[in-house]
């Protein structure tokens, strides 16, 4: 019987392939793609494919912060549809099932059918199916029995609705599927409606969470329902600029000058003013916003004659109105900001940076610090911590490039007892939890693996950390200062760094100048020489010729290299008096090769020349890594990492 049905299905598809006609329907369009784009053959069925555990984990990590929100919606939906003997699938944008609610009694059957965690329902792999076709069409789809392309799936009935993220990107699919269902297709109408409705609810819950630090205008066409069922949500900032808009809003709202002839295509309204969409002026819109959830709902009109009832939600922590001028956190006291003041003296770039850092010290913002290696990014992060009200709590520094990739996760997030066997079975508080109340400094953030970037993003947005193997997250109050000498925007373009994490991290950006650009070298030389002298319990005094050589050097390893050179010179000196012959040879050579005292900055090596500088140092030092590290003032591990990054291989390794 089944054999016969299979044969009939294959023949029907082959006949379609011969004469596809206009292929106007969603299902027919997908069949055509199966033949023409994916080269699928209906006479060669492909059983359901479940991705392996590691890959599933990677897929989950990509949308980890969304999974919690979606789960709540799925559980609600399941209560309503479980009587229909169906299962729920949540897939990511690639069609891989990242969450699932099913029926334990039919576990084996469901797994075989692909109605299971990890099942890959992308159209190129599974052929026409609700999830895969919904991904391509980005619209709700019912795929009922023989709508499926592959005969392995023709007993299934599936309803899928797309899910979009708060910025309008495609996020995944919510799907309600059954192993069997009554034959008439019309019976699926209600299931598709429910799936679409819950997809919208999940999207909106995610939107509210994502924009909880912004004002949100909620609009509905029914006065009495606007608080509980707002069809449209618009997130906006204190300047009245639109920051985000939910799917309902993308479908219905237009700009004033796009009111005619936009062809019904959703426009991206982000970055536009509310007043470009609504006829009310900003003071009226603020009046509505401040009325909040009170009963004072007010009608607003759009430029294209739409009429909506409006209410608003204030940003988290806001007292219901934009903060009054003067309510800014106070600047740190002179005592607290001493560490910031000590960072430089008399260099205009540093002066600007110190002033900015003082203003930022007590702001609830994460900070991104840029600067070449050794410019003092960690020193700046520590000074910011010391100047802030967090100074009584821990400052925890993590070098993402120095910890082996396999350990970063457990080091950062920690693990609960019993997660690992042996000596570590007691569990460990991760570095994130250790910096609760204080500052977490993430150095070389650009080297953090992508799947951990997702987890970090979740920590930053949820303000809680989930140790490995734990069942409950731990709340954390965190300020993150991240640093990188790599161009994070470039890494985003290369898809090696998450853009959303970048925006979470760069509440403000501080740029540390390279030592060769600084005009306060004398101050740094004197200060570091004195510090190093104290370490060795000797006074440190520099001969005028020594000072001249140090001023003239180009300092590829920046302040770190300067400190290393002074430490070396002190050890070589005659009781703390540093004459030129106490200096390491590269300082003398570097200045001879490059009498750069007056060389304009543009002719000196720039960060972009990092590969050349490294290669030259390797050749000069006959590929002895320790010497190169000392000379450039960087760690040995950094030399190896940079060699790998730039594809430099030592001659004896080739
Ligand atoms: N303003 C400063 N005053 C005194 N010492 C400094 C200063 N800035 C940096 N240093 C010294 O330079 C060395 C490197 O500093 P730091 O580790 O903060 O640099 P970094 O930019 O974070 O380096 P990397 O990019 O390799 O992580 C340290 O020994 C530090 O003490």
């Amino acid at each position: 019987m089944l054999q016969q049905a299979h044969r009939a299905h294959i023949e029907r598809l082959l006949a379609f392939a011969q004469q596809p006609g206009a292929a106007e329907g969603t299902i027919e369009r997908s069949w055509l793609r199966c033949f023409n784009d994916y080269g699928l053959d209906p006479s060669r069925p492909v059983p359901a494919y479940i991705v392996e555990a590691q890959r599933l984990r990677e897929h989950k990590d990509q949308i980890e912060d969304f999974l919690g929100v979606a789960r709540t919606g799925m559980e609600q939906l399941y209560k309503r549809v479980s009587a229909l003997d169906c299962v729920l699938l949540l897939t990511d944008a690639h069609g891989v099932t990242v969450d699932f609610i099913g029926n334990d009694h039919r576990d084996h059957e469901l797994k075989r059918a692909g109605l299971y965690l990890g099942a890959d329902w992308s159209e190129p792999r599974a052929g026409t199916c609700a999830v895969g076709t919904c991904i391509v069409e980005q619209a709700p789809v019912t795929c009922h029995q023989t709508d499926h392309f592959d005969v392995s799936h023709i007993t299934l009935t599936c309803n899928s609705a797309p899910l979009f993220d708060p910025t309008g990107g495609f996020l995944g699919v919510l799907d309600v599927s059954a192993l069997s269902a009554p034959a008439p297709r019309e019976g699926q109408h209600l299931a598709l409606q429910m799936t679409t409705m819950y997809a919208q609810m999940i999207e909106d819950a995610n939107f509210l969470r994502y924009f909880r630090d912004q004002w949100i205008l909620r609009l509905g066409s029914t006065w009495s329902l606007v608080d509980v069922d707002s069809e449209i949500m618009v997130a906006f900032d204190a300047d009245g600029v639109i920051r985000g808009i939910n799917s309902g809003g993308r479908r219905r709202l237009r700009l004033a000058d796009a009111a005619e002839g936009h062809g019904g295509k959703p426009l991206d309204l982000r970055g536009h003013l509310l007043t470009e969409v609504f006829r009310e002026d900003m003071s009226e819109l603020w009046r509505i916003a401040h009325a909040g959830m009170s009963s004072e709902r007010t009608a607003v009109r759009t430029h294209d004659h739409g009429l909506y009832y409006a209410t608003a939600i204030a940003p988290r922590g806001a007292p219901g109105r934009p903060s009054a001028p003067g309510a800014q956190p106070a600047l740190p006291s002179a005592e607290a900001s001493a560490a910031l003041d000590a960072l430089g003296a008399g260099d205009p770039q540093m002066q600007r940076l110190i002033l900015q850092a003082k203003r930022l010290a007590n702001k609830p913002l994460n900070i991104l610090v840029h600067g070449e290696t050794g410019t003092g990014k960690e020193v700046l992060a520590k000074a910011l911590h010391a100047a802030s009200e967090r100074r009584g709590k821990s400052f925890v520094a993590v070098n993402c490039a120095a910890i082996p990739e396999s350990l970063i996760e457990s080091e950062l997030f920690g693990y609960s007892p019993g997660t690992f066997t042996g000596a570590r079975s007691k569990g460990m508080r991760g570095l994130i939890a250790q910096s609760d109340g204080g500052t977490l400094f993430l150095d070389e953030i650009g080297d953090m693996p992508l799947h951990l970037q997702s987890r970090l993003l979740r920590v930053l947005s949820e303000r809680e950390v989930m140790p490995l193997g734990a069942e409950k997250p731990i709340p954390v109050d965190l300020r993150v200062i991240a640093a990188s000498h790599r161009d994070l925007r470039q890494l985003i373009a290369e898809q090696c760094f998450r853009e959303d994490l970048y925006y979470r991290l760069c509440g403000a950006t501080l740029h540390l100048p390279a030592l060769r650009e600084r005009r306060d070298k004398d101050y740094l030389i004197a200060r570091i020489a004195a510090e190093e002298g104290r370490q060795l319990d000797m006074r440190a005094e520099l001969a005028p010729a020594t000072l001249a050589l140090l001023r003239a050097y180009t300092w590829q390893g920046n302040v770190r290299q300067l400190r290393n050179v002074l430490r070396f010179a002190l050890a070589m000196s005659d009781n703390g008096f540093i004459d030129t012959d106490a200096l390491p040879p590269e300082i003398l050579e570097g200045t001879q090769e490059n009498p750069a005292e007056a060389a304009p900055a543009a002719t000196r090596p720039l960060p972009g020349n990092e590969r050349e500088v490294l290669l030259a140092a390797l050749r000069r030092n006959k590929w002895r890594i320790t010497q190169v590290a000392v000379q450039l003032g960087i760690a040995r591990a950094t030399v190896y990492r940079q060699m790998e990054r730039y594809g430099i291989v030592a001659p004896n390794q080739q």
Side-chain angles (χ1 to χ4, degrees):
M1 183 65 181
L2 202 57
Q3 288 292 331
Q4 215 175 7
H6 282 186
R7 254 200 314 276
H9 180 64
I10 294 167
E11 277 162 18
R12 181 168 157 241
L13 284 176
L14 291 174
F16 169 81
Q18 299 292 318
Q19 273 183 326
E24 271 168 2
T26 307
I27 298 297
E28 287 80 9
R29 273 201 300 278
S30 169
W31 286 354
L32 264 192
R33 285 192 294 274
C34 292
F35 282 114
N36 300 339
D37 300 349
Y38 319 135
L40 298 179
D41 179 349
S43 59
R44 290 181 187 203
V46 187
Y49 175 74
I50 313 273
V51 303
E52 58 195 51
Q54 173 60 26
R55 259 196 67 209
L56 172 60
R57 174 121 192 249
E58 285 162 18
H59 280 268
K60 283 177 115 169
D61 281 347
Q62 287 298 316
I63 52 169
E64 200 186 357
D65 43 347
F66 172 66
L67 287 178
V69 178
R71 181 74 197 190
T72 315
M74 285 173 77
E75 282 166 3
Q76 295 288 324
L77 174 58
Y78 191 66
K79 280 189 203 143
R80 281 161 185 74
V81 295
S82 57
L84 305 176
D85 199 17
C86 46
V87 297
L88 298 193
L89 271 60
L90 176 78
T91 81
D92 67 4
H94 305 286
V96 172
T97 310
V98 287
D99 200 3
F100 166 76
I101 304 182
N103 179 341
D104 289 349
H105 302 300
R106 306 184 75 173
D107 207 49
H108 184 66
E109 236 179 312
L110 290 169
K111 190 168 187 179
R112 227 188 35 212
L115 301 183
Y116 211 73
L117 195 62
D120 181 347
W121 282 105
S122 59
E123 204 179 59
R125 181 182 280 279
T128 305
C129 58
V131 169
T133 307
C134 172
I135 291 174
V136 177
E137 299 274 337
Q138 305 217 337
V141 171
T142 294
C143 196
H144 182 51
Q145 298 175 347
T146 53
D147 289 345
H148 287 94
F149 184 86
D150 196 302
V151 288
S152 331
H153 309 317
I154 60 172
T155 51
L156 306 180
T157 290
C158 315
N159 291 285
S160 286
L163 292 158
F164 294 92
D165 72 20
T167 56
F170 189 75
L171 195 58
V173 172
L174 180 66
D175 176 271
V176 176
S177 283
L179 286 168
S180 60
R185 206 170 190 288
E186 293 64 41
Q188 293 308 310
H189 185 68
L190 195 61
L192 185 64
Q193 289 291 322
M194 289 279 270
T195 316
T196 309
M197 197 175 104
Y198 272 84
Q200 180 72 61
M201 273 167 58
I202 291 172
E203 258 184 48
D204 287 350
N206 196 35
F207 184 92
L208 288 170
R209 187 189 63 93
Y210 188 88
F211 286 115
R212 62 193 165 186
D213 293 326
Q214 304 286 351
W215 287 89
I216 296 175
L217 199 58
R218 310 175 78 186
L219 308 171
S221 42
T222 315
W223 183 85
S224 52
L225 288 182
V226 63
D227 277 343
V228 287
D229 180 25
S230 38
E231 299 137 39
I232 295 175
M233 289 200 279
V234 184
F236 64 101
D237 63 20
D239 297 323
V241 175
I242 297 175
R243 303 295 297 268
I245 197 152
N246 74 341
S247 289
R250 275 194 295 278
R251 279 193 299 273
R252 293 195 222 169
L253 296 183
R254 305 278 170 259
L255 289 174
D257 56 7
E260 307 293 336
H262 53 75
K265 243 182 100 200
L267 286 171
D268 191 354
L269 302 182
R270 287 174 301 158
H272 288 278
L273 291 166
L274 281 176
T275 48
E276 292 178 74
V277 175
F278 299 103
R279 284 169 182 241
E280 282 67 28
D281 61 21
M282 215 40 231
S283 61
E284 176 60 10
L285 292 170
W286 276 123
R287 196 189 60 71
I288 295 169
H290 290 156
M293 297 284 273
S294 79
S295 59
E296 233 188 293
R297 291 173 208 88
T298 313
V300 291
R301 291 151 310 148
T302 60
H303 288 291
D304 60 348
H305 312 294
L307 178 73
Y308 297 98
Y309 295 97
T311 179
I313 305 173
R316 180 174 53 172
R321 55 191 65 241
S323 52
Q328 311 279 357
L331 282 185
S333 65
E335 195 189 343
S337 54
L340 284 170
D341 284 321
L343 291 177
D347 175 69
Q349 288 195 68
M350 285 304 291
Q351 265 168 345
R352 224 176 9 256
L353 178 134
I354 291 166
L355 187 66
Q356 286 172 333
K358 283 184 187 172
R359 289 204 177 117
L360 289 168
N362 282 323
K363 294 255 166 66
L365 290 175
N366 295 324
I367 296 176
L368 205 55
V369 182
H370 281 299
E372 289 176 26
T373 183
T375 43
K377 297 184 285 295
E378 183 168 345
V379 172
L380 169 61
K382 276 189 186 141
L384 268 162
H385 174 75
S388 78
E389 280 152 7
R390 294 175 171 263
R391 62 183 162 276
K393 295 285 176 71
S394 313
F395 173 87
V396 177
V398 183
N399 187 329
C400 303
I403 309 178
E405 199 172 315
S406 55
L407 288 184
I408 298 186
E409 184 164 22
S410 54
E411 291 286 318
L412 272 181
F413 298 92
Y415 49 87
S416 56
T419 307
F420 298 100
T421 48
R424 307 162 84 202
S425 64
K426 285 200 189 116
M428 190 192 80
R429 223 166 145 237
L431 294 169
I432 292 178
Q434 286 176 35
S435 49
D436 183 25
T439 304
L440 177 67
F441 175 60
L442 293 173
D443 200 1
E444 302 296 4
I445 185 85
D447 287 28
M448 181 175 274
L450 264 176
H451 74 282
L452 295 186
Q453 291 177 23
S454 320
R455 294 198 58 186
L456 176 63
L457 180 66
R458 180 152 190 215
V459 172
L460 296 183
S461 49
E462 303 287 326
R463 299 177 190 209
E464 52 189 29
V465 61
M466 178 75 104
L468 290 169
E471 279 172 8
K472 258 183 34 208
I474 306 169
V476 281
D477 164 25
L478 209 61
R479 169 188 240 185
V480 175
I481 303 180
S484 172
H485 72 275
R486 300 170 71 186
D487 181 356
L488 292 179
R489 305 276 349 170
Q490 178 66 30
L491 292 181
I492 292 170
E494 290 165 8
Q495 305 201 332
C496 298
F497 201 81
R498 289 184 65 131
E499 190 167 14
D500 41 10
L501 177 60
Y502 175 81
Y503 286 117
R504 279 269 169 203
L505 291 173
C506 73
T509 305
L510 296 175
H511 181 78
L512 269 166
L515 179 54
R516 62 181 170 277
E517 292 166 11
R518 288 178 63 165
R519 295 202 212 143
D520 57 353
K521 284 195 203 69
D522 285 7
Y523 162 77
L524 276 176
I525 293 168
R527 194 177 140 213
I528 295 174
E531 275 174 23
E532 292 298 321
R534 272 197 299 279
Q535 291 281 326
L536 295 174
D537 200 18
M538 55 169 74
R539 74 193 168 91
E541 194 185 332
L542 281 89
T546 305
L547 191 58
L549 285 175
L550 295 180
R551 277 190 201 131
Y553 192 66
T554 48
W555 301 113
Q556 287 310 306
N558 292 299
V559 191
R560 179 185 288 112
Q561 190 186 7
L562 172 65
R563 187 180 284 281
N564 288 346
V565 164
L566 286 170
R567 189 176 298 158
F568 175 92
L570 264 173
M572 294 289 143
S573 71
D574 182 10
N575 201 21
F577 181 75
I578 306 177
D579 213 340
T580 51
D581 47 3
L583 291 173
E586 75 268 11
I587 303 294
L588 303 161
E589 284 163 18
T591 347
Q592 277 155 16
E593 263 171 31
N594 177 14
E597 195 135 13
T603 65
R604 295 176 192 165
L606 294 169
N609 292 344
E610 205 168 50
R611 185 179 193 281
E612 283 67 37
V613 170
L614 179 66
L615 197 57
L618 284 162
R619 288 192 180 131
R620 206 167 42 238
N621 288 288
K622 306 204 168 32
W623 298 86
R624 284 192 286 265
I625 305 298
T626 308
Q627 266 171 254
V628 173
V630 172
Q631 200 169 92
L632 295 184
I634 54 181
R636 274 168 55 93
T638 309
V639 177
Y640 283 118
R641 233 182 22 248
Q642 290 187 349
M643 286 173 69
E644 202 179 311
R645 184 176 304 151
Y646 297 125
I648 299 174
V649 182
N652 64 354
Q653 306 281 313
Q654 283 171 357

